[in-house]
Amino acid sequence: MDVLPFYQIKTKESRKERGFIKNLYISGYRSYEISVFKADDPKITYIKKFFKKKLIEYIEQGVEWVVVSGNLGTELWVGETTIELKEEYPAIKLAVILPYTNFSNKWNELNQIYFNSIIERADYVNYTSNNDYANPGQLKNNQGFIVRNTDGCLLFYDSEHEGKTEYFYKQALKYQENHDYQMETISFDDLQWFINDLSEEESFEEEQY
């Protein structure tokens, strides 16, 4: 595991000077926000495949660090996908920046096991608060730290469907007013189009055999 403070991961050059994103924060809907309550829910397979495609695009454009904050749902699925991509792209690294200590201690056992499986394989893990949960300010501070220490974000966020990602989305919009920060959002329509295309490809391949 990388022992350097996370702020040292961020290069001193701006994204504009480099011409590409080096550190990419990825977040999105929590599992319960999209009615995913089981590890074998088919939605997870499609979401992971979608993010695998997006991650490859970003990696090939220069992304070196994928950053998540450990939330159940999109972030842990992305974390797992990033780890899986190391076989093909060994230089890619995963950083997990948690908002407080004992982050997952109130989750059920299966979720804690899944969370720990990501944490144990991440390249860097740290906290923006060295205390257990005390107030919502810890979450806001975590988001502020991440937006200041990444070059851009990829959010599974649809403005027509509320979710907790909206808090980071608004903070990133405000940050963009005075900083060079890239943001890409993924809507439910984007995901559905991907699923439709993937289904057509799979059907075509089956027909060939």
Side-chain angles (χ1 to χ4, degrees):
M1 185 180 297
D2 198 319
V3 296
L4 292 174
F6 179 68
Y7 67 82
Q8 291 188 25
I9 295 172
K10 184 175 174 63
T11 177
K12 292 182 180 180
E13 296 177 294
S14 69
R15 184 179 70 85
K16 188 177 294 183
E17 291 171 326
R18 291 196 311 277
F20 64 89
I21 292 177
K22 181 179 179 182
N23 309 317
L24 177 69
Y25 175 61
I26 303 182
S27 188
Y29 291 102
R30 309 322 194 237
S31 49
Y32 62 85
E33 291 177 328
I34 50 176
S35 301
V36 172
F37 301 105
K38 295 183 179 180
D40 60 354
D41 191 307
K43 293 193 194 80
I44 299 175
T45 299
Y46 285 111
I47 291 171
K48 287 184 63 180
K49 286 182 177 181
F50 181 87
F51 274 100
K52 180 179 180 180
K53 177 177 179 293
K54 295 298 297 183
L55 277 168
I56 289 173
E57 292 174 2
Y58 274 99
I59 292 169
E60 293 184 345
Q61 292 171 11
V63 164
E64 298 176 11
W65 283 90
V66 172
V67 182
V68 298
S69 52
N71 290 300
L72 277 173
T74 302
E75 293 192 14
L76 291 188
W77 299 329
V78 165
E80 185 175 26
T81 302
T82 302
I83 292 165
E84 292 168 354
L85 278 172
K86 283 176 174 288
E87 292 187 12
E88 187 176 353
Y89 300 92
I92 192 64
K93 295 180 176 66
L94 174 67
V96 184
I97 309 300
L98 301 165
Y100 48 85
T101 55
N102 292 314
F103 182 67
S104 65
N105 68 337
K106 292 186 178 180
W107 299 358
N108 66 45
E109 184 178 1
L110 288 178
N111 286 338
Q112 288 194 43
I113 290 172
Y114 183 51
F115 172 82
N116 289 331
S117 75
I118 305 299
I119 294 297
E120 290 167 359
R121 292 177 290 168
D123 299 280
Y124 179 85
V125 180
N126 212 333
Y127 307 88
T128 49
S129 170
N130 291 320
N131 299 302
D132 289 358
Y133 179 77
N135 58 72
Q138 290 165 296
L139 301 172
K140 186 175 181 180
N141 290 340
N142 179 262
Q143 293 174 347
F145 178 87
I146 288 174
V147 78
R148 292 192 305 272
N149 287 277
T150 54
D151 304 308
C153 62
L154 173 63
L155 305 177
F156 179 18
Y157 171 71
D158 192 319
S159 59
E160 296 183 3
H161 300 272
E162 293 183 355
K164 290 185 178 296
T165 308
E166 181 179 6
Y167 295 107
F168 183 88
Y169 173 75
K170 289 182 176 179
Q171 190 161 159
L173 281 179
K174 185 173 182 61
Y175 188 75
Q176 278 184 324
E177 294 175 2
N178 299 302
H179 299 85
D180 179 30
Y181 193 78
Q182 181 170 312
M183 178 162 54
E184 179 180 359
T185 58
I186 298 163
S187 68
F188 283 103
D189 283 343
D190 293 329
L191 183 60
Q192 188 60 57
W193 291 330
F194 169 79
I195 293 172
N196 293 343
D197 289 343
L198 185 62
S199 298
E200 289 180 7
E201 290 176 11
E202 291 174 345
S203 297
F204 178 76
E205 290 174 359
E206 290 176 0
E207 290 174 2
Q208 301 310 301
Y209 293 96

PDB file of all heavy atoms in Angstrom, residues 38-58:
ATOM      1  N   LYS A  38     -28.944  -7.283  -3.405  1.00  0.00           N
ATOM      2  CA  LYS A  38     -28.271  -8.582  -3.396  1.00  0.00           C
ATOM      3  C   LYS A  38     -27.020  -8.516  -4.274  1.00  0.00           C
ATOM      4  O   LYS A  38     -26.995  -7.835  -5.296  1.00  0.00           O
ATOM      5  CB  LYS A  38     -29.209  -9.677  -3.901  1.00  0.00           C
ATOM      6  CG  LYS A  38     -30.411  -9.922  -2.996  1.00  0.00           C
ATOM      7  CD  LYS A  38     -31.265 -11.055  -3.517  1.00  0.00           C
ATOM      8  CE  LYS A  38     -32.450 -11.328  -2.601  1.00  0.00           C
ATOM      9  NZ  LYS A  38     -33.291 -12.446  -3.103  1.00  0.00           N
ATOM     10  N   ALA A  39     -26.004  -9.270  -3.882  1.00  0.00           N
ATOM     11  CA  ALA A  39     -24.734  -9.252  -4.605  1.00  0.00           C
ATOM     12  C   ALA A  39     -24.843  -9.828  -6.009  1.00  0.00           C
ATOM     13  O   ALA A  39     -24.000  -9.545  -6.870  1.00  0.00           O
ATOM     14  CB  ALA A  39     -23.679 -10.028  -3.815  1.00  0.00           C
ATOM     15  N   ASP A  40     -25.887 -10.645  -6.269  1.00  0.00           N
ATOM     16  CA  ASP A  40     -26.042 -11.256  -7.581  1.00  0.00           C
ATOM     17  C   ASP A  40     -27.080 -10.542  -8.454  1.00  0.00           C
ATOM     18  O   ASP A  40     -27.540 -11.090  -9.458  1.00  0.00           O
ATOM     19  CB  ASP A  40     -26.405 -12.738  -7.445  1.00  0.00           C
ATOM     20  CG  ASP A  40     -27.710 -12.961  -6.679  1.00  0.00           C
ATOM     21  OD1 ASP A  40     -28.274 -11.979  -6.147  1.00  0.00           O
ATOM     22  OD2 ASP A  40     -28.169 -14.116  -6.611  1.00  0.00           O
ATOM     23  N   ASP A  41     -27.432  -9.317  -8.076  1.00  0.00           N
ATOM     24  CA  ASP A  41     -28.392  -8.549  -8.877  1.00  0.00           C
ATOM     25  C   ASP A  41     -27.783  -8.283 -10.257  1.00  0.00           C
ATOM     26  O   ASP A  41     -26.652  -7.798 -10.361  1.00  0.00           O
ATOM     27  CB  ASP A  41     -28.698  -7.222  -8.190  1.00  0.00           C
ATOM     28  CG  ASP A  41     -29.880  -6.488  -8.817  1.00  0.00           C
ATOM     29  OD1 ASP A  41     -29.872  -6.288 -10.052  1.00  0.00           O
ATOM     30  OD2 ASP A  41     -30.798  -6.106  -8.080  1.00  0.00           O
ATOM     31  N   PRO A  42     -28.512  -8.607 -11.340  1.00  0.00           N
ATOM     32  CA  PRO A  42     -27.988  -8.407 -12.702  1.00  0.00           C
ATOM     33  C   PRO A  42     -27.579  -6.964 -12.995  1.00  0.00           C
ATOM     34  O   PRO A  42     -26.708  -6.723 -13.849  1.00  0.00           O
ATOM     35  CB  PRO A  42     -29.161  -8.834 -13.595  1.00  0.00           C
ATOM     36  CG  PRO A  42     -29.977  -9.750 -12.740  1.00  0.00           C
ATOM     37  CD  PRO A  42     -29.848  -9.220 -11.345  1.00  0.00           C
ATOM     38  N   LYS A  43     -28.179  -6.007 -12.301  1.00  0.00           N
ATOM     39  CA  LYS A  43     -27.829  -4.602 -12.540  1.00  0.00           C
ATOM     40  C   LYS A  43     -26.333  -4.373 -12.303  1.00  0.00           C
ATOM     41  O   LYS A  43     -25.704  -3.589 -13.010  1.00  0.00           O
ATOM     42  CB  LYS A  43     -28.623  -3.680 -11.604  1.00  0.00           C
ATOM     43  CG  LYS A  43     -30.114  -3.618 -11.828  1.00  0.00           C
ATOM     44  CD  LYS A  43     -30.675  -2.436 -11.034  1.00  0.00           C
ATOM     45  CE  LYS A  43     -32.187  -2.488 -10.925  1.00  0.00           C
ATOM     46  NZ  LYS A  43     -32.632  -3.409  -9.873  1.00  0.00           N
ATOM     47  N   ILE A  44     -25.788  -5.050 -11.298  1.00  0.00           N
ATOM     48  CA  ILE A  44     -24.378  -4.846 -10.957  1.00  0.00           C
ATOM     49  C   ILE A  44     -23.481  -5.235 -12.118  1.00  0.00           C
ATOM     50  O   ILE A  44     -22.513  -4.532 -12.441  1.00  0.00           O
ATOM     51  CB  ILE A  44     -24.008  -5.655  -9.693  1.00  0.00           C
ATOM     52  CG1 ILE A  44     -24.839  -5.187  -8.503  1.00  0.00           C
ATOM     53  CG2 ILE A  44     -22.512  -5.516  -9.385  1.00  0.00           C
ATOM     54  CD1 ILE A  44     -24.628  -6.010  -7.240  1.00  0.00           C
ATOM     55  N   THR A  45     -23.794  -6.345 -12.764  1.00  0.00           N
ATOM     56  CA  THR A  45     -22.983  -6.810 -13.900  1.00  0.00           C
ATOM     57  C   THR A  45     -22.936  -5.764 -14.991  1.00  0.00           C
ATOM     58  O   THR A  45     -21.851  -5.442 -15.518  1.00  0.00           O
ATOM     59  CB  THR A  45     -23.561  -8.122 -14.459  1.00  0.00           C
ATOM     60  OG1 THR A  45     -23.535  -9.117 -13.431  1.00  0.00           O
ATOM     61  CG2 THR A  45     -22.747  -8.598 -15.655  1.00  0.00           C
ATOM     62  N   TYR A  46     -24.087  -5.197 -15.340  1.00  0.00           N
ATOM     63  CA  TYR A  46     -24.128  -4.196 -16.409  1.00  0.00           C
ATOM     64  C   TYR A  46     -23.435  -2.904 -15.995  1.00  0.00           C
ATOM     65  O   TYR A  46     -22.728  -2.289 -16.804  1.00  0.00           O
ATOM     66  CB  TYR A  46     -25.577  -3.920 -16.809  1.00  0.00           C
ATOM     67  CG  TYR A  46     -26.182  -5.032 -17.627  1.00  0.00           C
ATOM     68  CD1 TYR A  46     -27.195  -5.831 -17.106  1.00  0.00           C
ATOM     69  CD2 TYR A  46     -25.734  -5.285 -18.918  1.00  0.00           C
ATOM     70  CE1 TYR A  46     -27.758  -6.861 -17.861  1.00  0.00           C
ATOM     71  CE2 TYR A  46     -26.289  -6.313 -19.683  1.00  0.00           C
ATOM     72  CZ  TYR A  46     -27.297  -7.096 -19.152  1.00  0.00           C
ATOM     73  OH  TYR A  46     -27.829  -8.111 -19.897  1.00  0.00           O
ATOM     74  N   ILE A  47     -23.634  -2.492 -14.747  1.00  0.00           N
ATOM     75  CA  ILE A  47     -22.985  -1.258 -14.280  1.00  0.00           C
ATOM     76  C   ILE A  47     -21.466  -1.417 -14.301  1.00  0.00           C
ATOM     77  O   ILE A  47     -20.731  -0.522 -14.734  1.00  0.00           O
ATOM     78  CB  ILE A  47     -23.490  -0.881 -12.869  1.00  0.00           C
ATOM     79  CG1 ILE A  47     -24.951  -0.436 -12.950  1.00  0.00           C
ATOM     80  CG2 ILE A  47     -22.628   0.238 -12.265  1.00  0.00           C
ATOM     81  CD1 ILE A  47     -25.629  -0.242 -11.604  1.00  0.00           C
ATOM     82  N   LYS A  48     -20.975  -2.563 -13.845  1.00  0.00           N
ATOM     83  CA  LYS A  48     -19.530  -2.803 -13.854  1.00  0.00           C
ATOM     84  C   LYS A  48     -18.985  -2.842 -15.278  1.00  0.00           C
ATOM     85  O   LYS A  48     -17.893  -2.323 -15.557  1.00  0.00           O
ATOM     86  CB  LYS A  48     -19.198  -4.096 -13.114  1.00  0.00           C
ATOM     87  CG  LYS A  48     -19.336  -3.995 -11.596  1.00  0.00           C
ATOM     88  CD  LYS A  48     -18.899  -5.284 -10.921  1.00  0.00           C
ATOM     89  CE  LYS A  48     -17.440  -5.573 -11.174  1.00  0.00           C
ATOM     90  NZ  LYS A  48     -16.995  -6.818 -10.526  1.00  0.00           N
ATOM     91  N   LYS A  49     -19.716  -3.458 -16.184  1.00  0.00           N
ATOM     92  CA  LYS A  49     -19.264  -3.496 -17.580  1.00  0.00           C
ATOM     93  C   LYS A  49     -19.226  -2.093 -18.173  1.00  0.00           C
ATOM     94  O   LYS A  49     -18.313  -1.756 -18.942  1.00  0.00           O
ATOM     95  CB  LYS A  49     -20.177  -4.400 -18.412  1.00  0.00           C
ATOM     96  CG  LYS A  49     -19.970  -5.883 -18.158  1.00  0.00           C
ATOM     97  CD  LYS A  49     -20.861  -6.740 -19.051  1.00  0.00           C
ATOM     98  CE  LYS A  49     -20.588  -8.225 -18.833  1.00  0.00           C
ATOM     99  NZ  LYS A  49     -21.428  -9.087 -19.704  1.00  0.00           N
ATOM    100  N   PHE A  50     -20.221  -1.290 -17.818  1.00  0.00           N
ATOM    101  CA  PHE A  50     -20.254   0.084 -18.314  1.00  0.00           C
ATOM    102  C   PHE A  50     -19.042   0.861 -17.808  1.00  0.00           C
ATOM    103  O   PHE A  50     -18.351   1.534 -18.573  1.00  0.00           O
ATOM    104  CB  PHE A  50     -21.545   0.776 -17.864  1.00  0.00           C
ATOM    105  CG  PHE A  50     -21.666   2.196 -18.348  1.00  0.00           C
ATOM    106  CD1 PHE A  50     -22.217   2.466 -19.592  1.00  0.00           C
ATOM    107  CD2 PHE A  50     -21.219   3.250 -17.571  1.00  0.00           C
ATOM    108  CE1 PHE A  50     -22.319   3.776 -20.046  1.00  0.00           C
ATOM    109  CE2 PHE A  50     -21.310   4.552 -18.023  1.00  0.00           C
ATOM    110  CZ  PHE A  50     -21.864   4.813 -19.257  1.00  0.00           C
ATOM    111  N   PHE A  51     -18.778   0.754 -16.513  1.00  0.00           N
ATOM    112  CA  PHE A  51     -17.656   1.497 -15.955  1.00  0.00           C
ATOM    113  C   PHE A  51     -16.313   0.935 -16.416  1.00  0.00           C
ATOM    114  O   PHE A  51     -15.336   1.685 -16.518  1.00  0.00           O
ATOM    115  CB  PHE A  51     -17.739   1.539 -14.421  1.00  0.00           C
ATOM    116  CG  PHE A  51     -18.586   2.666 -13.919  1.00  0.00           C
ATOM    117  CD1 PHE A  51     -19.896   2.443 -13.516  1.00  0.00           C
ATOM    118  CD2 PHE A  51     -18.098   3.957 -13.879  1.00  0.00           C
ATOM    119  CE1 PHE A  51     -20.697   3.486 -13.074  1.00  0.00           C
ATOM    120  CE2 PHE A  51     -18.881   5.007 -13.446  1.00  0.00           C
ATOM    121  CZ  PHE A  51     -20.187   4.777 -13.034  1.00  0.00           C
ATOM    122  N   LYS A  52     -16.260  -0.336 -16.716  1.00  0.00           N
ATOM    123  CA  LYS A  52     -15.028  -0.891 -17.273  1.00  0.00           C
ATOM    124  C   LYS A  52     -14.710  -0.215 -18.604  1.00  0.00           C
ATOM    125  O   LYS A  52     -13.571   0.179 -18.858  1.00  0.00           O
ATOM    126  CB  LYS A  52     -15.159  -2.397 -17.473  1.00  0.00           C
ATOM    127  CG  LYS A  52     -13.901  -3.036 -18.058  1.00  0.00           C
ATOM    128  CD  LYS A  52     -14.059  -4.543 -18.215  1.00  0.00           C
ATOM    129  CE  LYS A  52     -12.787  -5.153 -18.798  1.00  0.00           C
ATOM    130  NZ  LYS A  52     -12.912  -6.628 -18.959  1.00  0.00           N
ATOM    131  N   LYS A  53     -15.728  -0.063 -19.424  1.00  0.00           N
ATOM    132  CA  LYS A  53     -15.552   0.610 -20.711  1.00  0.00           C
ATOM    133  C   LYS A  53     -15.093   2.050 -20.519  1.00  0.00           C
ATOM    134  O   LYS A  53     -14.154   2.518 -21.180  1.00  0.00           O
ATOM    135  CB  LYS A  53     -16.868   0.576 -21.497  1.00  0.00           C
ATOM    136  CG  LYS A  53     -16.851   1.299 -22.838  1.00  0.00           C
ATOM    137  CD  LYS A  53     -18.185   1.119 -23.541  1.00  0.00           C
ATOM    138  CE  LYS A  53     -18.217   1.853 -24.874  1.00  0.00           C
ATOM    139  NZ  LYS A  53     -18.177   3.317 -24.729  1.00  0.00           N
ATOM    140  N   LYS A  54     -15.747   2.770 -19.590  1.00  0.00           N
ATOM    141  CA  LYS A  54     -15.378   4.161 -19.346  1.00  0.00           C
ATOM    142  C   LYS A  54     -13.968   4.266 -18.759  1.00  0.00           C
ATOM    143  O   LYS A  54     -13.193   5.146 -19.129  1.00  0.00           O
ATOM    144  CB  LYS A  54     -16.383   4.811 -18.397  1.00  0.00           C
ATOM    145  CG  LYS A  54     -17.794   4.938 -18.928  1.00  0.00           C
ATOM    146  CD  LYS A  54     -17.870   5.822 -20.164  1.00  0.00           C
ATOM    147  CE  LYS A  54     -17.455   7.233 -19.904  1.00  0.00           C
ATOM    148  NZ  LYS A  54     -17.596   8.086 -21.101  1.00  0.00           N
ATOM    149  N   LEU A  55     -13.645   3.369 -17.844  1.00  0.00           N
ATOM    150  CA  LEU A  55     -12.323   3.406 -17.222  1.00  0.00           C
ATOM    151  C   LEU A  55     -11.211   3.186 -18.244  1.00  0.00           C
ATOM    152  O   LEU A  55     -10.183   3.858 -18.204  1.00  0.00           O
ATOM    153  CB  LEU A  55     -12.237   2.341 -16.124  1.00  0.00           C
ATOM    154  CG  LEU A  55     -12.804   2.733 -14.764  1.00  0.00           C
ATOM    155  CD1 LEU A  55     -12.917   1.512 -13.858  1.00  0.00           C
ATOM    156  CD2 LEU A  55     -11.934   3.793 -14.105  1.00  0.00           C
ATOM    157  N   ILE A  56     -11.427   2.249 -19.141  1.00  0.00           N
ATOM    158  CA  ILE A  56     -10.426   2.001 -20.181  1.00  0.00           C
ATOM    159  C   ILE A  56     -10.209   3.252 -21.016  1.00  0.00           C
ATOM    160  O   ILE A  56      -9.069   3.610 -21.351  1.00  0.00           O
ATOM    161  CB  ILE A  56     -10.843   0.802 -21.060  1.00  0.00           C
ATOM    162  CG1 ILE A  56     -10.720  -0.498 -20.258  1.00  0.00           C
ATOM    163  CG2 ILE A  56      -9.992   0.730 -22.326  1.00  0.00           C
ATOM    164  CD1 ILE A  56     -11.262  -1.718 -20.965  1.00  0.00           C
ATOM    165  N   GLU A  57     -11.287   3.942 -21.332  1.00  0.00           N
ATOM    166  CA  GLU A  57     -11.167   5.186 -22.100  1.00  0.00           C
ATOM    167  C   GLU A  57     -10.319   6.202 -21.337  1.00  0.00           C
ATOM    168  O   GLU A  57      -9.422   6.830 -21.909  1.00  0.00           O
ATOM    169  CB  GLU A  57     -12.559   5.773 -22.378  1.00  0.00           C
ATOM    170  CG  GLU A  57     -13.404   4.947 -23.337  1.00  0.00           C
ATOM    171  CD  GLU A  57     -14.816   5.493 -23.464  1.00  0.00           C
ATOM    172  OE1 GLU A  57     -15.123   6.541 -22.839  1.00  0.00           O
ATOM    173  OE2 GLU A  57     -15.629   4.881 -24.186  1.00  0.00           O
ATOM    174  N   TYR A  58     -10.593   6.360 -20.052  1.00  0.00           N
ATOM    175  CA  TYR A  58      -9.845   7.332 -19.243  1.00  0.00           C
ATOM    176  C   TYR A  58      -8.389   6.903 -19.054  1.00  0.00           C
ATOM    177  O   TYR A  58      -7.475   7.727 -19.113  1.00  0.00           O
ATOM    178  CB  TYR A  58     -10.518   7.520 -17.880  1.00  0.00           C
ATOM    179  CG  TYR A  58     -11.623   8.554 -17.896  1.00  0.00           C
ATOM    180  CD1 TYR A  58     -12.957   8.176 -17.992  1.00  0.00           C
ATOM    181  CD2 TYR A  58     -11.331   9.911 -17.813  1.00  0.00           C
ATOM    182  CE1 TYR A  58     -13.978   9.122 -17.995  1.00  0.00           C
ATOM    183  CE2 TYR A  58     -12.337  10.864 -17.820  1.00  0.00           C
ATOM    184  CZ  TYR A  58     -13.659  10.468 -17.914  1.00  0.00           C
ATOM    185  OH  TYR A  58     -14.664  11.414 -17.933  1.00  0.00           O
TER     186      TYR A  58
END
